[in-house]
Amino acid sequence: MRSGSLAALAGLLWLAPQTPPSGGAVTAAPASRVVPTERLLEAMKEVRAYELTATANGPRLQADVVLDLIHEAQATDPERRPLFIGHREWYEAFLARTGLPPSRAPLYVRRPYEVGQDLVVDYRREWVVEAVLQGPQPRAVANIRIFWERAPGKPDEYSYDDNLSSPHLRVTQKRLITYRLVDYADRLWYAEVAGLHGRPTSGALGVLFDLIGEARVQESRSAFLPDGVQVVRGRASKWGFDRTETMTVWPDGHADQGVPVSRPDLRALEARLLEPLAIRFRPVPKEP
């Protein structure tokens, strides 16, 4: 599982005073910089290797866009302000990129828009990583916070079933989701995921999850080929049951358990995902 499709956060969360890395003074995080629809659309237009409407490709689309924005911000914003991606701007950019009318927007895009999920990206390395303990130095890191505002009539979580994906998926997103996005250039690591639950509802994995129910997504790692094929290794748990699975996700969004024996190139990606990685992360800033 590659963290499901995540949308989300109101930048006000990042304006409250926070404790900086040890040795620094107590300061407030700089005000978030709002990313306009036009910039999101520009980043989405760079994505061509896979089908954007497939649920299984949603996390990859989000990561591709977020990393594009991070790399630009690192080069152009000396204040290194967190990036605020609003639910309306993302939704409008997605519809413009795909040419779809609102009635045909995929569930993984429509539900975050309906509930008002926003996203804030804090890419200041010293606020994310305390020390790299094992593995290479990341090219980029970020604290990702996804949420919608509390308000009368708004739920604390929402779920949806995507029966167009393969396998079919049930995704549950809490009001607040956090994770660490770690970019190694040749692979992505979604570490310390909190607030995201899900399960496949068809196929062999569907039978397994019939027994344990929805599991809490803890982390996932992904690596890609230029033709859009990706290998994903994800870990989820429930009631002490810990399950790690490797999936091959094809450009059209359908997923197969494991990696084809006939594809040594994909086996090489899987081996890369098995390499040990360890980072001591800074504490996630608390919600005010």
Side-chain angles (χ1 to χ4, degrees), residues 44-66:
M44 289 183 188
K45 284 181 176 178
E46 295 299 313
V47 176
R48 300 186 181 89
Y50 52 89
E51 176 54 54
L52 274 60
T53 61
T55 299
N57 289 331
R60 185 176 180 185
L61 172 64
Q62 185 185 85
D64 283 342
V65 171
V66 165

Side-chain angles (χ1 to χ4, degrees), residues 47-282:
V47 176
R48 300 186 181 89
Y50 52 89
E51 176 54 54
L52 274 60
T53 61
T55 299
N57 289 331
R60 185 176 180 185
L61 172 64
Q62 185 185 85
D64 283 342
V65 171
V66 165
L67 288 171
D68 185 30
L69 297 174
I70 287 175
H71 296 150
E72 178 189 55
Q74 287 174 330
T76 61
D77 185 5
E79 295 182 60
R80 299 185 301 155
R81 291 168 291 172
L83 303 171
F84 174 75
I85 301 173
H87 62 279
R88 182 177 300 278
E89 287 81 3
W90 182 274
Y91 184 71
E92 291 176 348
F94 183 89
L95 293 182
R97 169 64 177 84
T98 59
L100 293 174
S103 61
R104 293 186 57 200
L107 280 172
Y108 90 82
V109 174
R110 189 188 320 152
R111 290 298 288 125
Y113 171 70
E114 291 171 345
V115 79
Q117 278 182 317
D118 302 314
L119 184 150
V120 159
V121 181
D122 190 342
Y123 58 90
R124 295 170 297 165
R125 184 176 294 254
E126 69 274 19
W127 286 69
V128 184
V129 173
E130 183 175 320
V132 175
L133 305 177
Q134 195 169 16
Q137 286 288 334
R139 179 174 65 171
V141 296
N143 287 330
I144 307 292
R145 188 185 291 258
I146 296 170
F147 94 120
W148 61 88
E149 295 277 9
R150 287 192 177 95
K154 284 199 172 185
D156 291 328
E157 65 180 53
Y158 71 81
S159 300
Y160 64 85
D161 292 290
D162 191 330
N163 295 326
L164 298 179
S165 62
S166 177
H168 297 172
L169 298 172
R170 174 168 299 160
V171 179
T172 297
Q173 298 193 20
K174 303 295 185 179
R175 192 191 66 83
L176 176 64
I177 297 171
T178 59
Y179 67 96
R180 321 296 192 136
L181 179 62
V182 186
D183 173 29
Y184 292 99
D186 64 346
R187 76 202 95 158
L188 288 176
W189 182 19
Y190 298 77
E192 297 191 344
V193 180
L196 180 68
H197 298 246
R199 54 158 295 185
T201 56
S202 67
L205 284 178
V207 174
L208 170 67
F209 280 86
D210 281 342
L211 301 176
I212 66 171
E214 287 194 14
R216 178 173 64 87
V217 179
Q218 294 185 317
E219 70 164 325
S220 72
R221 303 180 185 187
S222 304
F224 319 93
L225 292 179
D227 64 2
V229 182
Q230 65 173 310
V231 176
V232 180
R233 187 167 177 81
R235 183 163 64 94
S237 65
K238 184 174 183 179
W239 299 333
F241 180 92
D242 198 298
R243 182 82 179 186
T244 299
E245 288 288 342
T246 298
M247 306 286 288
T248 300
V249 183
W250 305 95
D252 65 0
H254 85 271
D256 294 326
Q257 190 174 4
V259 176
V261 177
S262 60
R263 292 290 300 269
D265 52 348
L266 297 181
R267 289 286 181 184
L269 293 188
E270 181 183 29
R272 190 180 302 162
L273 298 180
L274 290 171
E275 293 175 5
L277 299 172
I279 291 177
R280 184 162 62 242
F281 292 103
R282 296 285 181 184

